[in-house]
Amino acid sequence: LLGQWEREFRSYFPAAKLLVPEENDFTPARRKTFVNKVATGDYDAVIITYQHFEKIPLSKEAQAKYYQDQIEQIILAEEETKYQKTGRNFTVKQLAKKRIELENKIKSLGVVSRDEDNIDFESLGVDGLFVDEAHNFKNLFYTTQMSGISDLGDKNGSKRSADLYMKIRYLQELNGGRGIVFGTATPVMNSV
């Protein structure tokens, strides 16, 4: 689809300055060079696959903020469940377990990664995002007090959807809630 998107974009905007990665631009050795082009260039659009998009990290500070927001939601749900006194000890334990997992994720952000010197997403100058095949980003983490309902699915969510959601929240803060477009021709099948 990358080549198709490039052709379509150029047919609608022939004078636009467009950046599309070549085949090897996202190998570990060349990824930093490509991301630097995005950050320092004056492009009208950059078209990349979602596999490449996932390899551009959000800053550790932004990730920590996201996880802290999730922890605060869990703490509120724990308190609400405790005050309801309806015998939901199992739910409180699940929420406490998830809170500890998120606290550990924040701690692990301090661990130096292999791509430590890569530019983070916020430094790229991105001000809008069009996500094609958006159905590939479903199953975001959520907090609920409900239990025993099979259609709730996996409450832990997927890494791919969490990564996109964090980047979207950053862009929406910049643009007053705007600047994000989802597209897909595939019906999105969700659970309750």
Side-chain angles (χ1 to χ4, degrees), residues 5 27 43 79 99 115 141 143 168:
W5 268 101
T27 60
Y43 297 101
E79 292 300 316
R99 180 175 39 83
D115 294 336
F141 161 80
T143 303
I168 285 173

Short mmCIF file of all heavy atoms in Angstrom, two decimals, residues 5 27 43 79 99 115 141 143 168:
data_model
loop_
_atom_site.label_atom_id
_atom_site.label_comp_id
_atom_site.label_asym_id
_atom_site.label_seq_id
_atom_site.Cartn_x
_atom_site.Cartn_y
_atom_site.Cartn_z
N TRP A 5 -0.22 4.65 -1.92
CA TRP A 5 -0.44 5.92 -1.24
C TRP A 5 0.43 7.02 -1.86
O TRP A 5 -0.02 8.15 -2.05
CB TRP A 5 -0.14 5.80 0.26
CG TRP A 5 -1.35 5.45 1.03
CD1 TRP A 5 -1.69 4.22 1.52
CD2 TRP A 5 -2.41 6.33 1.39
NE1 TRP A 5 -2.90 4.29 2.16
CE2 TRP A 5 -3.37 5.58 2.09
CE3 TRP A 5 -2.65 7.67 1.18
CZ2 TRP A 5 -4.53 6.13 2.59
CZ3 TRP A 5 -3.81 8.23 1.67
CH2 TRP A 5 -4.73 7.46 2.37
N THR A 27 15.93 -0.04 8.61
CA THR A 27 16.83 -0.97 9.27
C THR A 27 17.43 -0.22 10.45
O THR A 27 17.48 1.02 10.44
CB THR A 27 17.95 -1.44 8.31
OG1 THR A 27 18.68 -0.28 7.89
CG2 THR A 27 17.39 -2.19 7.12
N TYR A 43 8.69 18.93 4.89
CA TYR A 43 7.83 18.09 4.06
C TYR A 43 6.37 18.42 4.27
O TYR A 43 5.94 18.74 5.38
CB TYR A 43 8.08 16.61 4.39
CG TYR A 43 9.49 16.18 4.08
CD1 TYR A 43 10.44 16.08 5.09
CD2 TYR A 43 9.88 15.93 2.77
CE1 TYR A 43 11.74 15.72 4.80
CE2 TYR A 43 11.18 15.56 2.47
CZ TYR A 43 12.11 15.46 3.49
OH TYR A 43 13.39 15.10 3.20
N GLU A 79 -10.94 2.80 44.36
CA GLU A 79 -11.64 3.47 45.45
C GLU A 79 -13.15 3.32 45.31
O GLU A 79 -13.84 3.04 46.28
CB GLU A 79 -11.26 4.96 45.49
CG GLU A 79 -9.83 5.22 45.90
CD GLU A 79 -9.50 4.67 47.29
OE1 GLU A 79 -10.32 4.85 48.21
OE2 GLU A 79 -8.44 4.04 47.44
N ARG A 99 -2.38 -1.83 38.22
CA ARG A 99 -1.69 -0.61 38.67
C ARG A 99 -0.20 -0.90 38.86
O ARG A 99 0.66 -0.13 38.43
CB ARG A 99 -2.30 -0.08 39.97
CG ARG A 99 -1.63 1.18 40.48
CD ARG A 99 -2.33 1.77 41.69
NE ARG A 99 -2.81 0.82 42.67
CZ ARG A 99 -2.06 0.26 43.64
NH1 ARG A 99 -0.80 0.56 43.73
NH2 ARG A 99 -2.58 -0.59 44.49
N ASP A 115 18.11 1.79 20.96
CA ASP A 115 17.90 2.96 20.11
C ASP A 115 17.81 4.24 20.92
O ASP A 115 17.09 5.17 20.57
CB ASP A 115 16.61 2.78 19.31
CG ASP A 115 16.70 1.64 18.30
OD1 ASP A 115 17.83 1.31 17.90
OD2 ASP A 115 15.66 1.09 17.94
N PHE A 141 -6.10 -0.74 25.80
CA PHE A 141 -6.26 -1.03 27.23
C PHE A 141 -7.41 -0.21 27.80
O PHE A 141 -7.63 0.93 27.42
CB PHE A 141 -4.96 -0.66 27.95
CG PHE A 141 -5.12 -0.48 29.45
CD1 PHE A 141 -5.17 -1.57 30.28
CD2 PHE A 141 -5.24 0.79 29.99
CE1 PHE A 141 -5.32 -1.40 31.65
CE2 PHE A 141 -5.39 0.97 31.35
CZ PHE A 141 -5.43 -0.14 32.19
N THR A 143 -9.96 0.23 31.64
CA THR A 143 -10.21 -0.11 33.03
C THR A 143 -11.71 -0.27 33.22
O THR A 143 -12.47 0.58 32.77
CB THR A 143 -9.71 1.01 33.96
OG1 THR A 143 -8.32 1.22 33.71
CG2 THR A 143 -9.90 0.64 35.42
N ILE A 168 -1.46 9.93 19.39
CA ILE A 168 -2.67 10.69 19.08
C ILE A 168 -2.96 11.70 20.18
O ILE A 168 -3.28 12.86 19.91
CB ILE A 168 -3.87 9.74 18.87
CG1 ILE A 168 -3.75 9.05 17.52
CG2 ILE A 168 -5.20 10.49 18.98
CD1 ILE A 168 -4.78 7.97 17.29
#
